[in-house]
Amino acid sequence: MSFANQQKMMKQVQKMQADMARLQDELGEMTVEATAGGGVVRCVMSCKQEVKELSIDPELIDPEDIEMLQDLLIAAFNEAARLSQEKAAAEMTKITGNVKIPGLM
């Protein structure tokens, strides 16, 4: 490999590193929304998997059936986590061109 090719490749790697660092910051601002129970539980999560919002329809709250509420919360959280991982992976693919980089998604 010639010196010019090595320099070009290093510049590409540096650009990819800068783009990935920028994306890591942006993932904290990107959100996904998931619902459970036909929308009675709603979870908004960042693509860094931080819960940003949680809403529960007040009519759903029944002290006699707390297990149903717990199940719906778990379902909404899990779906939001799955969606956030998918979105983060899709954004990373835009930068890496589908090259798998260990430890990054």
Side-chain angles (χ1 to χ4, degrees), residues 7-99:
Q7 280 187 312
K8 182 179 177 184
M9 190 169 84
M10 285 304 296
K11 285 183 181 182
Q12 289 174 332
V13 168
Q14 288 171 342
K15 181 185 181 318
M16 186 184 294
Q17 287 174 327
D19 289 346
M20 288 175 13
R22 176 191 46 78
L23 178 59
Q24 288 298 320
D25 291 336
E26 291 175 1
L27 288 176
E29 301 302 318
M30 292 180 188
T31 61
V32 295
E33 179 178 317
T35 62
V40 294
V41 173
R42 182 175 144 285
C43 178
V44 176
M45 184 178 285
S46 78
C47 289
K48 283 192 168 185
Q49 296 189 323
E50 298 168 335
V51 175
K52 298 293 187 177
E53 294 178 39
L54 178 64
S55 63
I56 302 168
D57 184 329
E59 292 181 20
L60 178 65
I61 300 171
D62 177 1
E64 301 297 318
D65 193 7
I66 198 71
E67 287 181 15
M68 180 182 64
L69 175 58
Q70 291 168 334
D71 290 344
L72 291 172
L73 288 168
I74 290 168
F77 287 157
N78 287 338
E79 179 64 5
R82 185 187 67 74
L83 291 171
S84 72
Q85 289 172 342
E86 285 180 2
K87 187 171 185 175
E91 293 296 321
M92 187 62 71
T93 298
K94 291 177 185 177
I95 293 172
T96 64
N98 224 8
V99 173

Coordinates of all heavy atoms in Angstrom, one line a residue, residues 7-99:
Q7 N -2.4 7.4 3.8 CA -2.9 8.7 4.3 C -4.4 8.9 4.0 O -5.2 9.3 4.9 CB -2.2 9.9 3.7 CG -0.8 10.2 4.3 CD -0.2 11.4 3.7 OE1 -0.2 11.6 2.5 NE2 0.3 12.3 4.6
K8 N -4.8 8.5 2.8 CA -6.3 8.6 2.5 C -7.1 7.7 3.4 O -8.1 8.1 3.9 CB -6.5 8.2 1.0 CG -7.9 8.3 0.6 CD -8.0 7.9 -0.9 CE -9.5 7.9 -1.3 NZ -9.7 7.4 -2.7
M9 N -6.6 6.5 3.7 CA -7.3 5.6 4.6 C -7.4 6.1 6.0 O -8.4 6.1 6.7 CB -6.7 4.2 4.6 CG -7.5 3.2 5.3 SD -6.9 1.5 5.0 CE -5.7 1.4 6.3
M10 N -6.3 6.7 6.5 CA -6.3 7.3 7.8 C -7.3 8.4 7.9 O -7.9 8.6 8.9 CB -4.9 7.8 8.2 CG -3.9 6.6 8.5 SD -4.5 5.5 9.9 CE -4.5 6.7 11.2
K11 N -7.4 9.3 6.9 CA -8.3 10.4 6.9 C -9.7 9.8 7.0 O -10.6 10.4 7.7 CB -8.1 11.3 5.7 CG -6.9 12.2 5.8 CD -6.8 13.1 4.6 CE -5.6 14.0 4.8 NZ -5.4 14.9 3.7
Q12 N -10.0 8.7 6.2 CA -11.3 8.1 6.2 C -11.7 7.6 7.6 O -12.8 7.7 8.1 CB -11.4 7.0 5.2 CG -11.5 7.5 3.8 CD -11.4 6.4 2.8 OE1 -10.9 5.3 3.0 NE2 -12.0 6.7 1.6
V13 N -10.7 6.9 8.3 CA -10.9 6.4 9.6 C -11.1 7.5 10.6 O -12.0 7.4 11.4 CB -9.7 5.5 10.0 CG1 -9.7 5.2 11.5 CG2 -9.6 4.3 9.2
Q14 N -10.4 8.6 10.5 CA -10.5 9.7 11.4 C -11.9 10.4 11.2 O -12.6 10.7 12.2 CB -9.4 10.8 11.2 CG -8.1 10.3 11.7 CD -7.0 11.3 11.3 OE1 -7.1 12.1 10.4 NE2 -5.8 11.1 12.0
K15 N -12.4 10.5 10.0 CA -13.7 11.0 9.7 C -14.8 10.1 10.3 O -15.7 10.6 10.9 CB -14.0 11.2 8.2 CG -15.3 11.8 7.9 CD -15.6 11.9 6.4 CE -17.0 12.5 6.1 NZ -18.1 12.1 6.9
M16 N -14.6 8.8 10.1 CA -15.6 7.8 10.7 C -15.6 7.9 12.2 O -16.7 7.9 12.8 CB -15.2 6.4 10.3 CG -16.3 5.4 10.7 SD -15.9 3.7 10.3 CE -15.9 3.7 8.5
Q17 N -14.4 8.1 12.8 CA -14.4 8.2 14.3 C -15.1 9.5 14.7 O -15.9 9.5 15.7 CB -12.9 8.3 14.8 CG -12.2 6.9 14.7 CD -10.8 7.0 15.1 OE1 -10.1 8.0 14.8 NE2 -10.3 5.9 15.7
A18 N -14.9 10.6 14.0 CA -15.6 11.9 14.4 C -17.1 11.7 14.2 O -17.8 12.2 15.0 CB -15.0 13.0 13.5
D19 N -17.5 11.1 13.1 CA -18.9 10.9 12.8 C -19.5 10.0 13.9 O -20.6 10.3 14.4 CB -19.1 10.3 11.5 CG -18.8 11.2 10.3 OD1 -18.7 12.4 10.6 OD2 -18.7 10.7 9.2
M20 N -18.8 9.0 14.3 CA -19.3 8.1 15.4 C -19.4 8.8 16.7 O -20.4 8.6 17.5 CB -18.5 6.8 15.5 CG -18.7 5.9 14.3 SD -17.6 4.4 14.1 CE -16.9 4.2 15.7
A21 N -18.5 9.7 17.0 CA -18.5 10.4 18.3 C -19.7 11.4 18.2 O -20.5 11.5 19.2 CB -17.2 11.2 18.5
R22 N -19.9 12.0 17.1 CA -21.1 12.9 16.9 C -22.4 12.1 17.1 O -23.3 12.6 17.8 CB -21.0 13.6 15.6 CG -22.2 14.5 15.3 CD -22.2 15.0 13.8 NE -22.0 13.9 12.8 CZ -22.9 13.0 12.4 NH1 -24.1 13.0 12.9 NH2 -22.5 12.1 11.5
L23 N -22.5 11.0 16.5 CA -23.7 10.2 16.5 C -23.9 9.7 18.0 O -25.1 9.7 18.4 CB -23.5 8.9 15.7 CG -24.7 8.0 15.7 CD1 -26.0 8.7 15.3 CD2 -24.5 6.7 14.8
Q24 N -22.9 9.4 18.7 CA -23.1 9.0 20.1 C -23.8 10.1 20.9 O -24.7 9.9 21.7 CB -21.8 8.6 20.8 CG -21.2 7.3 20.3 CD -22.1 6.1 20.6 OE1 -22.8 6.0 21.7 NE2 -22.2 5.2 19.7
D25 N -23.5 11.4 20.6 CA -24.1 12.5 21.3 C -25.6 12.6 20.8 O -26.5 12.8 21.6 CB -23.4 13.8 21.0 CG -22.0 13.9 21.7 OD1 -21.9 13.2 22.7 OD2 -21.2 14.6 21.2
E26 N -25.8 12.5 19.5 CA -27.1 12.6 18.9 C -28.1 11.5 19.4 O -29.3 11.7 19.5 CB -27.0 12.6 17.4 CG -26.3 13.8 16.8 CD -26.1 13.8 15.3 OE1 -26.5 12.8 14.7 OE2 -25.6 14.7 14.8
L27 N -27.5 10.3 19.6 CA -28.4 9.2 20.1 C -29.1 9.5 21.4 O -30.2 9.1 21.6 CB -27.6 7.9 20.2 CG -27.1 7.3 18.9 CD1 -26.3 6.0 19.3 CD2 -28.3 6.9 18.0
G28 N -28.5 10.4 22.2 CA -29.2 10.8 23.4 C -30.4 11.7 23.2 O -31.3 11.8 24.0
E29 N -30.4 12.3 22.0 CA -31.5 13.2 21.7 C -32.6 12.5 20.8 O -33.7 12.9 20.8 CB -31.0 14.4 20.9 CG -30.0 15.3 21.7 CD -30.5 15.8 23.0 OE1 -31.7 16.2 23.0 OE2 -29.8 15.7 24.0
M30 N -32.2 11.4 20.1 CA -33.1 10.7 19.3 C -34.0 9.8 20.2 O -33.5 9.3 21.1 CB -32.4 9.8 18.3 CG -31.6 10.4 17.3 SD -30.8 9.2 16.2 CE -29.8 10.2 15.2
T31 N -35.3 9.8 19.9 CA -36.2 9.0 20.7 C -37.0 8.1 19.9 O -37.2 8.3 18.7 CB -37.1 9.9 21.6 OG1 -37.9 10.7 20.7 CG2 -36.3 10.8 22.5
V32 N -37.5 7.1 20.6 CA -38.5 6.2 20.0 C -39.7 6.1 21.0 O -39.5 6.4 22.2 CB -37.9 4.7 19.8 CG1 -36.9 4.8 18.7 CG2 -37.4 4.1 21.1
E33 N -40.8 5.7 20.5 CA -42.0 5.6 21.4 C -42.6 4.2 21.2 O -42.7 3.7 20.1 CB -43.0 6.6 21.0 CG -44.3 6.6 21.8 CD -45.3 7.7 21.4 OE1 -44.9 8.8 21.2 OE2 -46.5 7.3 21.3
A34 N -42.9 3.6 22.4 CA -43.6 2.3 22.4 C -44.8 2.3 23.3 O -44.8 3.1 24.3 CB -42.6 1.2 22.8
T35 N -45.8 1.6 22.9 CA -47.0 1.5 23.7 C -47.3 0.0 24.0 O -46.8 -0.9 23.4 CB -48.2 2.1 23.0 OG1 -48.5 1.4 21.8 CG2 -48.0 3.6 22.7
A36 N -48.2 -0.1 25.0 CA -48.6 -1.5 25.4 C -50.1 -1.3 25.8 O -50.5 -0.3 26.2 CB -47.8 -2.0 26.5
G37 N -50.8 -2.4 25.7 CA -52.2 -2.5 26.1 C -53.1 -1.6 25.2 O -54.0 -0.9 25.7
G38 N -52.8 -1.5 24.0 CA -53.5 -0.6 23.1 C -53.3 0.9 23.3 O -54.2 1.7 23.0
G39 N -52.2 1.2 23.9 CA -51.8 2.6 24.1 C -52.1 3.1 25.5 O -51.8 4.3 25.8
V40 N -52.5 2.3 26.4 CA -52.8 2.7 27.8 C -51.5 3.0 28.6 O -51.5 3.7 29.6 CB -53.7 1.8 28.6 CG1 -55.1 1.8 28.0 CG2 -53.2 0.4 28.7
V41 N -50.4 2.4 28.1 CA -49.1 2.6 28.7 C -48.2 3.1 27.5 O -48.2 2.4 26.5 CB -48.5 1.4 29.4 CG1 -47.0 1.6 29.8 CG2 -49.3 1.0 30.6
R42 N -47.5 4.2 27.7 CA -46.7 4.8 26.6 C -45.3 5.1 27.2 O -45.2 5.7 28.3 CB -47.3 6.0 26.1 CG -46.6 6.7 25.0 CD -47.4 7.9 24.5 NE -46.6 9.0 24.1 CZ -46.0 9.9 24.9 NH1 -46.0 9.7 26.2 NH2 -45.3 10.9 24.4
C43 N -44.3 4.6 26.5 CA -42.9 4.9 27.0 C -42.1 5.5 25.8 O -42.1 5.0 24.7 CB -42.2 3.5 27.4 SG -40.5 3.7 27.9
V44 N -41.5 6.6 26.1 CA -40.6 7.3 25.2 C -39.2 7.1 25.7 O -38.9 7.4 26.9 CB -40.9 8.8 25.0 CG1 -39.9 9.5 24.1 CG2 -42.3 9.0 24.5
M45 N -38.3 6.6 24.9 CA -36.9 6.3 25.3 C -35.9 6.8 24.3 O -36.2 6.9 23.1 CB -36.8 4.7 25.4 CG -35.4 4.2 25.9 SD -35.4 2.4 26.0 CE -36.4 2.1 27.4
S46 N -34.8 7.3 24.8 CA -33.7 7.8 23.9 C -33.1 6.6 23.3 O -33.2 5.5 23.8 CB -32.7 8.7 24.7 OG -31.8 7.8 25.4
C47 N -32.3 6.8 22.2 CA -31.5 5.8 21.6 C -30.3 5.4 22.4 O -29.5 4.5 22.0 CB -31.2 6.1 20.2 SG -32.7 6.1 19.1
K48 N -30.1 6.0 23.6 CA -29.1 5.6 24.5 C -29.8 4.8 25.7 O -29.3 4.6 26.7 CB -28.4 6.8 25.1 CG -27.3 7.4 24.2 CD -26.4 8.3 24.9 CE -25.2 8.7 24.1 NZ -24.3 9.5 24.8
Q49 N -31.0 4.5 25.4 CA -31.9 3.7 26.3 C -32.1 4.3 27.7 O -32.1 3.7 28.7 CB -31.3 2.3 26.4 CG -31.4 1.6 25.1 CD -31.1 0.1 25.2 OE1 -30.2 -0.3 26.0 NE2 -31.7 -0.7 24.4
E50 N -32.4 5.6 27.6 CA -32.8 6.4 28.8 C -34.3 6.7 28.7 O -34.7 7.2 27.6 CB -32.0 7.6 29.0 CG -30.5 7.4 29.1 CD -29.7 8.7 29.0 OE1 -30.2 9.6 28.3 OE2 -28.6 8.7 29.5
V51 N -35.1 6.3 29.7 CA -36.5 6.6 29.6 C -36.7 8.1 29.7 O -36.2 8.7 30.7 CB -37.3 5.9 30.7 CG1 -38.8 6.3 30.7 CG2 -37.2 4.4 30.5
K52 N -37.4 8.8 28.8 CA -37.6 10.2 28.8 C -39.0 10.5 29.2 O -39.2 11.6 29.8 CB -37.4 10.8 27.4 CG -35.9 10.6 26.8 CD -35.0 11.4 27.6 CE -33.6 11.4 27.0 NZ -32.7 12.3 27.7
E53 N -40.0 9.7 28.9 CA -41.4 9.9 29.3 C -42.0 8.6 29.6 O -41.7 7.6 28.9 CB -42.1 10.6 28.2 CG -41.7 12.0 27.8 CD -42.5 12.6 26.7 OE1 -43.7 12.3 26.6 OE2 -41.9 13.2 25.8
L54 N -43.0 8.6 30.5 CA -43.8 7.5 30.8 C -45.2 8.0 31.1 O -45.3 8.9 31.9 CB -43.2 6.7 31.9 CG -44.0 5.4 32.4 CD1 -44.0 4.4 31.3 CD2 -43.4 4.9 33.6
S55 N -46.2 7.4 30.4 CA -47.5 7.8 30.7 C -48.4 6.5 30.9 O -48.2 5.5 30.2 CB -48.1 8.7 29.7 OG -48.2 8.1 28.4
I56 N -49.3 6.6 31.8 CA -50.2 5.5 32.2 C -51.6 6.1 32.2 O -51.8 7.1 32.9 CB -49.9 4.9 33.5 CG1 -48.4 4.4 33.5 CG2 -50.8 3.8 33.9 CD1 -47.9 4.1 34.9
D57 N -52.5 5.5 31.5 CA -53.9 5.9 31.5 C -54.4 5.7 32.9 O -54.4 4.6 33.4 CB -54.7 5.1 30.5 CG -56.1 5.6 30.4 OD1 -56.7 6.0 31.4 OD2 -56.7 5.4 29.3
P58 N -54.9 6.8 33.6 CA -55.4 6.7 34.9 C -56.5 5.6 35.1 O -56.5 5.0 36.2 CB -56.0 8.0 35.3 CG -55.3 9.0 34.3 CD -55.1 8.2 33.1
E59 N -57.2 5.3 34.1 CA -58.3 4.3 34.2 C -57.7 2.9 34.4 O -58.4 2.0 34.8 CB -59.2 4.4 33.1 CG -60.1 5.6 33.1 CD -61.0 5.7 31.9 OE1 -61.3 4.6 31.3 OE2 -61.5 6.8 31.6
L60 N -56.4 2.7 34.0 CA -55.7 1.4 34.0 C -55.4 1.1 35.5 O -55.2 -0.1 35.8 CB -54.5 1.5 33.2 CG -53.6 0.2 33.1 CD1 -54.4 -0.9 32.5 CD2 -52.4 0.5 32.4
I61 N -55.2 2.1 36.3 CA -54.7 1.8 37.7 C -55.8 1.2 38.5 O -56.8 1.8 38.9 CB -54.2 3.1 38.3 CG1 -53.0 3.6 37.4 CG2 -53.7 2.9 39.7 CD1 -52.5 5.0 37.8
D62 N -55.6 -0.1 38.9 CA -56.5 -0.8 39.7 C -55.7 -1.5 40.8 O -54.9 -2.4 40.5 CB -57.2 -1.9 38.8 CG -58.2 -2.7 39.6 OD1 -58.3 -2.5 40.9 OD2 -58.8 -3.6 39.0
P63 N -55.8 -1.0 42.0 CA -55.1 -1.6 43.1 C -55.3 -3.1 43.3 O -54.4 -3.8 43.8 CB -55.6 -0.9 44.4 CG -56.3 0.3 43.9 CD -56.7 0.0 42.5
E64 N -56.4 -3.6 42.7 CA -56.6 -5.1 42.8 C -55.9 -5.9 41.7 O -55.9 -7.1 41.8 CB -58.2 -5.3 42.7 CG -59.0 -4.6 43.8 CD -58.7 -5.1 45.2 OE1 -58.5 -6.4 45.3 OE2 -58.6 -4.3 46.1
D65 N -55.4 -5.1 40.7 CA -54.7 -5.8 39.6 C -53.4 -5.1 39.2 O -53.2 -4.7 38.1 CB -55.7 -5.9 38.4 CG -55.2 -6.9 37.3 OD1 -54.2 -7.6 37.6 OD2 -55.8 -6.9 36.2
I66 N -52.6 -5.0 40.2 CA -51.3 -4.3 40.0 C -50.4 -5.1 39.0 O -49.6 -4.5 38.3 CB -50.6 -4.0 41.3 CG1 -49.5 -2.9 41.1 CG2 -50.0 -5.2 41.9 CD1 -50.1 -1.6 40.9
E67 N -50.6 -6.4 39.0 CA -49.8 -7.3 38.1 C -50.0 -6.9 36.6 O -49.0 -6.9 35.8 CB -50.0 -8.7 38.3 CG -49.5 -9.2 39.6 CD -49.7 -10.7 39.9 OE1 -50.1 -11.4 38.9 OE2 -49.5 -11.1 41.0
M68 N -51.2 -6.6 36.2 CA -51.5 -6.2 34.9 C -50.7 -4.9 34.5 O -50.1 -4.8 33.5 CB -52.9 -6.0 34.6 CG -53.2 -5.6 33.1 SD -54.9 -5.3 32.8 CE -55.3 -3.9 33.8
L69 N -50.7 -3.9 35.4 CA -49.9 -2.7 35.2 C -48.5 -3.0 35.1 O -47.8 -2.5 34.2 CB -50.2 -1.7 36.3 CG -49.4 -0.4 36.3 CD1 -49.7 0.3 34.9 CD2 -49.8 0.5 37.5
Q70 N -47.9 -3.8 35.9 CA -46.5 -4.2 35.9 C -46.2 -4.9 34.5 O -45.2 -4.5 33.9 CB -46.2 -5.1 37.0 CG -46.2 -4.4 38.4 CD -46.1 -5.4 39.6 OE1 -46.5 -6.5 39.5 NE2 -45.7 -4.9 40.7
D71 N -47.0 -5.8 34.1 CA -46.8 -6.5 32.8 C -46.8 -5.5 31.6 O -46.0 -5.6 30.7 CB -47.9 -7.5 32.6 CG -47.7 -8.7 33.5 OD1 -46.6 -8.9 34.1 OD2 -48.7 -9.5 33.6
L72 N -47.7 -4.5 31.7 CA -47.8 -3.5 30.6 C -46.6 -2.6 30.6 O -46.1 -2.2 29.5 CB -49.1 -2.7 30.7 CG -50.4 -3.5 30.3 CD1 -51.6 -2.7 30.7 CD2 -50.4 -4.0 28.9
L73 N -46.1 -2.2 31.8 CA -44.9 -1.4 31.9 C -43.7 -2.1 31.3 O -42.9 -1.6 30.5 CB -44.7 -1.0 33.3 CG -45.6 0.1 33.9 CD1 -45.4 0.2 35.4 CD2 -45.4 1.4 33.2
I74 N -43.6 -3.4 31.7 CA -42.5 -4.2 31.2 C -42.5 -4.3 29.7 O -41.5 -4.2 29.0 CB -42.4 -5.6 31.9 CG1 -42.0 -5.5 33.3 CG2 -41.5 -6.6 31.1 CD1 -42.3 -6.7 34.1
A75 N -43.7 -4.6 29.1 CA -43.9 -4.7 27.7 C -43.5 -3.4 27.0 O -42.8 -3.4 26.0 CB -45.3 -5.1 27.4
A76 N -44.0 -2.3 27.5 CA -43.7 -1.0 26.9 C -42.2 -0.7 27.0 O -41.6 -0.2 26.0 CB -44.5 0.1 27.5
F77 N -41.5 -0.9 28.1 CA -40.1 -0.7 28.2 C -39.3 -1.6 27.3 O -38.4 -1.1 26.6 CB -39.6 -1.0 29.7 CG -40.0 0.1 30.7 CD1 -40.1 -0.3 32.0 CD2 -40.4 1.4 30.3 CE1 -40.5 0.7 33.0 CE2 -40.7 2.3 31.3 CZ -40.8 1.9 32.6
N78 N -39.7 -2.9 27.2 CA -38.9 -3.8 26.4 C -39.1 -3.4 24.9 O -38.1 -3.5 24.1 CB -39.4 -5.2 26.6 CG -38.8 -5.8 27.9 OD1 -37.9 -5.3 28.5 ND2 -39.5 -6.8 28.5
E79 N -40.3 -3.0 24.5 CA -40.5 -2.6 23.1 C -39.7 -1.3 22.8 O -39.1 -1.2 21.7 CB -41.9 -2.4 22.8 CG -42.3 -2.0 21.4 CD -41.9 -3.0 20.3 OE1 -41.4 -4.2 20.6 OE2 -42.0 -2.7 19.1
A80 N -39.7 -0.4 23.7 CA -38.9 0.8 23.5 C -37.4 0.6 23.4 O -36.7 1.1 22.6 CB -39.2 1.8 24.6
A81 N -36.9 -0.3 24.3 CA -35.5 -0.7 24.2 C -35.2 -1.4 22.9 O -34.2 -1.0 22.3 CB -35.2 -1.7 25.4
R82 N -36.0 -2.2 22.4 CA -35.8 -2.9 21.1 C -35.8 -1.9 20.0 O -34.9 -1.9 19.1 CB -36.9 -4.0 20.8 CG -36.6 -4.8 19.6 CD -37.8 -5.7 19.2 NE -39.0 -4.9 18.9 CZ -39.2 -4.3 17.7 NH1 -38.3 -4.4 16.8 NH2 -40.3 -3.7 17.4
L83 N -36.8 -1.0 20.0 CA -36.8 0.1 18.9 C -35.6 1.0 19.0 O -35.1 1.4 18.0 CB -38.1 0.9 19.1 CG -39.4 0.1 18.8 CD1 -40.6 1.0 19.1 CD2 -39.5 -0.3 17.3
S84 N -35.2 1.3 20.2 CA -34.0 2.2 20.3 C -32.8 1.6 19.8 O -31.9 2.2 19.2 CB -33.9 2.7 21.8 OG -33.4 1.7 22.6
Q85 N -32.6 0.3 20.1 CA -31.4 -0.4 19.6 C -31.4 -0.5 18.1 O -30.4 -0.3 17.4 CB -31.4 -1.8 20.2 CG -31.0 -1.9 21.7 CD -31.2 -3.2 22.3 OE1 -31.8 -4.1 21.7 NE2 -30.6 -3.4 23.4
E86 N -32.6 -0.8 17.5 CA -32.7 -0.8 16.0 C -32.4 0.5 15.4 O -31.7 0.6 14.4 CB -34.1 -1.2 15.6 CG -34.4 -2.7 15.8 CD -35.9 -3.1 15.4 OE1 -36.6 -2.2 14.9 OE2 -36.2 -4.3 15.6
K87 N -32.9 1.6 16.0 CA -32.7 2.9 15.4 C -31.2 3.3 15.6 O -30.6 3.8 14.6 CB -33.6 4.0 16.1 CG -33.5 5.3 15.5 CD -34.6 6.3 16.1 CE -34.6 7.6 15.4 NZ -35.7 8.4 15.9
A88 N -30.6 3.0 16.7 CA -29.2 3.3 16.9 C -28.3 2.5 15.9 O -27.4 3.1 15.3 CB -28.8 3.0 18.3
A89 N -28.7 1.2 15.7 CA -27.9 0.4 14.8 C -28.1 0.9 13.3 O -27.1 1.0 12.6 CB -28.4 -1.0 14.8
A90 N -29.3 1.4 13.0 CA -29.5 1.9 11.6 C -28.7 3.2 11.4 O -28.1 3.4 10.3 CB -31.0 2.2 11.4
E91 N -28.6 4.0 12.4 CA -27.8 5.3 12.3 C -26.4 5.0 12.2 O -25.6 5.6 11.5 CB -28.1 6.2 13.5 CG -29.5 6.8 13.6 CD -29.9 7.7 12.4 OE1 -29.0 8.5 12.0 OE2 -31.0 7.6 11.9
M92 N -25.9 4.0 13.0 CA -24.5 3.6 12.9 C -24.1 3.0 11.6 O -23.1 3.3 11.0 CB -24.2 2.6 14.0 CG -22.7 2.3 14.2 SD -21.7 3.7 14.6 CE -22.2 3.9 16.3
T93 N -25.0 2.3 11.0 CA -24.8 1.7 9.7 C -24.6 2.8 8.6 O -23.8 2.6 7.7 CB -26.0 0.8 9.3 OG1 -26.0 -0.3 10.2 CG2 -25.8 0.2 7.9
K94 N -25.3 3.9 8.8 CA -25.1 5.0 7.8 C -23.7 5.5 7.9 O -23.2 6.0 6.9 CB -26.1 6.2 8.2 CG -27.5 5.9 8.0 CD -28.4 7.1 8.4 CE -29.8 6.8 8.3 NZ -30.6 7.9 8.8
I95 N -23.0 5.4 9.0 CA -21.7 5.9 9.1 C -20.7 4.9 8.7 O -19.7 5.1 8.0 CB -21.4 6.4 10.6 CG1 -22.2 7.6 10.9 CG2 -19.9 6.6 10.8 CD1 -22.2 8.0 12.4
T96 N -20.9 3.6 9.2 CA -19.9 2.6 9.0 C -20.0 1.8 7.7 O -19.2 1.1 7.3 CB -19.9 1.5 10.1 OG1 -21.2 0.9 10.1 CG2 -19.7 2.2 11.5
G97 N -21.2 2.0 7.0 CA -21.4 1.3 5.7 C -21.6 -0.2 6.0 O -21.2 -1.0 5.2
N98 N -22.2 -0.5 7.1 CA -22.4 -1.9 7.5 C -21.2 -2.7 7.9 O -21.3 -3.9 8.0 CB -23.2 -2.6 6.3 CG -24.3 -3.5 6.9 OD1 -24.7 -3.4 8.1 ND2 -24.9 -4.3 6.0
V99 N -20.1 -2.0 8.1 CA -18.9 -2.7 8.7 C -19.1 -2.9 10.1 O -19.5 -2.0 10.9 CB -17.6 -1.8 8.4 CG1 -16.4 -2.5 9.1 CG2 -17.4 -1.7 7.0

